[in-house]
Amino acid sequence: MAMESELVGASLRRPVTLRYPFERRPVPPRFRGRLSWDAEKCVGCGMCVQVCPAFALELVGKGPMAELRYYLNKCVFCSQCVESCPRDALTMTEEYELADYKHKIYEFRRK
Amino acid sequence: MSGESEKAVFEVPVGPQHPALKEPILLLFKIEGDIIDDVMARPAYTHRGIEKATEARNYIQNIYLCERVCGICSGIHTLVYTQGVERLAGVEPPPRAKYIRVIFLELERIHSHALWLGVAAHELGFDTLFYYVWRDRELVMDLLELVTGNRVNYAMSTVGGARRDISDEAAHQIKKGMEIFRRRLDVYTGVVEKDPTVRKRVVDVGKLSPHKAVELCAVGPTLRATGVKRDVRADDPYQAYDEIPFNVATYPTGDVLAQIMVRVMEMYEAANIIDYALDHMPKGPIRTKVPWNIAPNEVISRGEAPRGELFYYFKSNGTEKPERVKIRTPTLANLPAVCEMLKGYHIAEIPIVFASIDPCLSCTGRFAFIDERHDRSWVWTGEQLRAYRRRYYKWQNR
């Protein structure tokens, strides 16, 4: 019996639900979404592969021309690879609607 | 039935898929009439092998593995892990990093206690309070999202410091949020203290004496609710807690009301700690470099999680991977205490009394043996483990 004031307040409030596919909440400034790779900057050192806790990254080939394979279904979005990259070749995008029926594997290629 | 009143003791299993929180545990009750005579708890339906998995990953990868031991207290798990690795390597994090860690830990404590308060209200059948508390918990979740970029797995603490800085703008928003949250908390404190429906369910229910609580090694709010002033933050200060003044919240009665009040008081304390830490945060770098390989060493690390004392043991062997990481979560320490709390009360009080320790059962999974060929499974006791250890070392030193 101690919540009447709450009830009055709630009855005057508008609903906060968003009509999702049409309206979206903006992502927070430090949001960690899908990974993206900059081929120009990457030197193929493999640091990202070593620190990935979920084994979601794999180097394809060796040396400075190595390419990256990114297993989206394994990624835990911790952004440790972004932090460990000595050349800032990796960034986290703001993309978050990533659910899919099949395992998504991104082949990052040098053109 | 004969004329004499015979005592009929029933065994009532509750769980694995039932009690209080939506996590698996078996509570085997011996019931006399409607009164609980004896309880046996069996956790470990969700063994995930995290301790073993840490041995196959390097120190950086393990931060994110340990973060996922618990969903709600992910911040304290990373902190205690990184604190332990820093001690292993003999590295001291910069002072600003310590303050940043304290701030997000206290935000986490608020959101965890608010979550628990909602769950407790739900167990009492007071779903209105549950929805309102969870609505205001979103305030704190939004602040955490603002600072760390994520609602649950913050990935904020790293070996050697903090990963992200708190800007002045974010600090201002956190302070504003704390102000609003304090006002909201006043409302809920009033509801819990005055509402007769709440009081009838929580006063003098699930009583635990301070003597028994200490004897059963209860930790955290469960212990503080019996009036024992014990808190890792005050007794063995880690990070910046030795520089921040705060009170250890206790409540003398030891029933479920005390559990609620201790957590509510801790939310106020946490808000005060955050305000103080934001005001007194030193300037400077937020992280230092830590070597990739760590020399052989052995340390322990502990911290006060929202549920009680969290304990980590580390052993390094000179490589990039730890030799052994042992994790003791607070819920495991509180299980004997909750079995004691349940005795002598009615069946209807099981959910709220069990929920009053804020059980986080997936963290308590240990190991079991399963023999697929003979379709058997069993668990070793401490005595059997010790016997195995003797056999093993005898075999090794033969």
Side-chain angles (χ1 to χ4, degrees), chain B residues 46-117:
Chain B
T46 41
H47 183 75
R48 294 169 295 174
I50 285 184
E51 285 178 7
K52 188 69 191 165
T54 54
E55 293 165 22
R57 287 163 172 79
N58 61 39
Y59 289 104
I60 296 290
Q61 289 173 317
N62 279 335
I63 300 171
Y64 307 102
L65 184 65
C66 289
E67 186 165 40
R68 281 155 180 82
V69 172
C70 180
I72 297 164
C73 25
S74 59
I76 185 81
H77 272 277
T78 24
L79 175 103
V80 175
Y81 172 81
T82 48
Q83 178 180 269
V85 176
E86 278 157 12
R87 284 181 190 166
L88 269 183
V91 179
E92 183 78 5
R96 189 175 173 85
K98 291 181 179 176
Y99 273 81
I100 292 173
R101 285 170 171 186
V102 164
I103 290 164
F104 86 89
L105 284 183
E106 292 305 320
L107 279 172
E108 180 188 70
R109 193 181 313 279
I110 293 180
H111 107 68
S112 175
H113 283 348
L115 177 128
W116 176 83
L117 184 58

Side-chain angles (χ1 to χ4, degrees), chain A residues 53-70:
Chain A
F55 310 112
L57 291 169
E58 196 183 333
L59 271 189
V60 183
K62 270 184 183 169
M65 288 314 284
E67 290 168 334
L68 204 59
R69 187 175 292 147
Y70 171 48

